[in-house]
Amino acid sequence: MQARTALVTGSGRGIGRGIAEALGREGWNVVVNYARDAAAAAEVVRIIEASGSKAIAMQADISSGDDRRRLVDQTLAAFSQIDLLVNNAGIAPAVRADLLSADEESFDRLINVNLKGPYFLTQLVAREMLAAVEGRRGQAGDGEGRSASRPAIVTISSISAYTASPNRGDYCVAKAGLSMMTKLFAVRLADAGIGVYEIRPGIIQTDMTGGVKEKYDALIAGGLTPLRRWGMPEDVARAVIAIACGLLPFSTGEVINVDGGFHLRQL
Ligand SMILES: NC(=O)c1ccc[n+]([C@@H]2O[C@H](COP(=O)([O-])OP(=O)(O)OC[C@H]3O[C@@H](n4cnc5c(N)ncnc54)[C@H](O)[C@@H]3O)[C@@H](O)[C@H]2O)c1
């Protein structure tokens, strides 16, 4: 069977890297998108190739419309189609500032990278996926085309989509927007058989959480999460692999919590 192709944004390090490497181990062609660190992305490509799959590093700032278009065009030029988009790239606020004093510059930056970027990248990729589905239906007849291969779009949001942290409101608002984005695209793309999912990681050990490690160490030890450990990029990657491998065929618009049970209310 022909290898399928995944585009994973921000996959030079952290959660995205874990996802890209896991997809490579499952035989996927992987586009390793990165913003600035070409050497880190090249290392991820090397690891995927060592596992026997194809990978290409592609620089693109997902907050730029031109870059998004180029990223999709280059992916199609390299691998002909996109079967899986993983919206992973994201940033934390440069400084955690109180809701009453946080400035518009931080808000615009967070919204551009964490919400507007994935929103319009998903729009571009969805159009390509729809065209590919239509093409297959035309060739194979309706029923067959529908089951030939089920493309998917996965967005990495956060527990911040529903957890209020008044010292990083911009981050929370952007992540909450991704939840609605998932529902919208899930409804719009359902007839084409394109599954759309949101993965909500909890506290995951990456560079992003490096600066607050001691705070979270203490909270986790104190029982903040029923499963008392840090999440790892591989934990998130496993959820993506379940979707990529087609293990959720009758679910779309679904939220998968990968958070050690953080979302559970307790009494
Ligand atoms: N670490 C956590 O605890 C945690 C929890 C919940 C959600 N998340 C989310 O998971 C995703 C990955 O986070 P991480 O912890 O691996 O962070 P990270 O900072 O280690 O990695 C983020 C990656 O995204 C890339 N990136 C940032 N801006 C970009 C842009 N404009 N264009 C292209 N790439 C860009 C970075 O270069 C980096 O490679 C983010 O969306 C984050 O909000 C993280």
Side-chain angles (χ1 to χ4, degrees):
M1 211 176 98
Q2 204 191 335
R4 301 175 75 205
T5 298
L7 165 55
V8 186
T9 64
S11 50
R13 71 179 201 190
I15 293 171
R17 175 178 180 158
I19 294 167
E21 291 181 3
L23 286 164
R25 287 193 296 274
E26 292 292 325
W28 285 69
N29 305 323
V30 185
V31 172
V32 178
N33 160 248
Y34 66 97
R36 274 176 296 279
D37 192 345
E43 171 68 4
V44 178
V45 166
R46 197 190 56 72
I47 289 168
I48 293 171
E49 287 175 342
S51 70
S53 292
K54 291 182 184 162
I56 300 179
M58 287 187 196
Q59 192 283 330
D61 175 348
I62 57 150
S63 68
S64 150
D66 289 346
D67 280 20
R68 289 191 295 269
R69 182 71 260 174
R70 181 172 48 77
L71 179 62
V72 171
D73 288 347
Q74 288 181 352
T75 301
L76 294 172
F79 294 120
S80 309
Q81 69 181 47
I82 303 171
D83 302 285
L84 174 69
L85 167 66
V86 183
N87 287 309
N88 164 80
I91 52 173
V95 285
R96 292 189 174 199
D98 181 74
L99 199 54
L100 299 185
S101 53
D103 60 32
E104 287 190 35
E105 198 184 328
S106 175
F107 187 92
D108 288 345
R109 180 171 164 265
L110 267 284
I111 293 294
N112 279 336
V113 176
N114 290 3
L115 181 57
K116 185 178 169 190
Y119 189 97
F120 285 103
L121 181 62
T122 300
Q123 183 192 66
L124 279 182
V125 172
R127 285 187 202 145
E128 300 297 339
M129 285 179 168
L130 276 170
V133 167
E134 290 304 320
R136 280 197 295 273
R137 280 183 185 170
Q139 280 171 8
D142 194 30
E144 235 177 291
R146 203 178 273 267
S147 61
S149 115
R150 191 169 181 261
I153 294 168
V154 178
T155 295
I156 308 300
S157 67
S158 168
I159 52 176
S160 296
Y162 64 89
T163 303
S165 300
N167 63 350
R168 49 190 169 122
D170 36 24
Y171 185 82
C172 296
V173 166
K175 292 297 184 181
L178 291 180
S179 298
M180 178 50 77
M181 179 187 102
T182 298
K183 294 180 209 284
L184 291 164
F185 279 102
V187 170
R188 179 65 181 81
L189 300 176
D191 277 344
I194 301 169
V196 185
Y197 305 88
E198 173 188 354
I199 294 179
R200 276 188 196 153
I203 300 166
I204 311 293
Q205 202 166 338
T206 67
D207 291 340
M208 186 181 273
T209 45
V212 281
K213 182 173 182 313
E214 279 164 24
K215 175 187 166 186
Y216 285 147
D217 278 345
L219 288 171
I220 292 167
L224 179 72
T225 52
L227 303 180
R228 293 189 199 214
R229 69 164 174 86
W230 280 78
M232 303 304 290
E234 294 71 33
D235 292 310
V236 182
R238 281 171 187 263
V240 175
I241 294 300
I243 294 165
C245 293
L247 297 183
L248 300 173
F250 196 49
S251 302
T252 194
E254 195 55 78
V255 177
I256 302 177
N257 292 291
V258 183
D259 64 354
F262 174 89
H263 66 285
L264 300 168
R265 287 170 185 258
Q266 300 181 51
L267 192 62

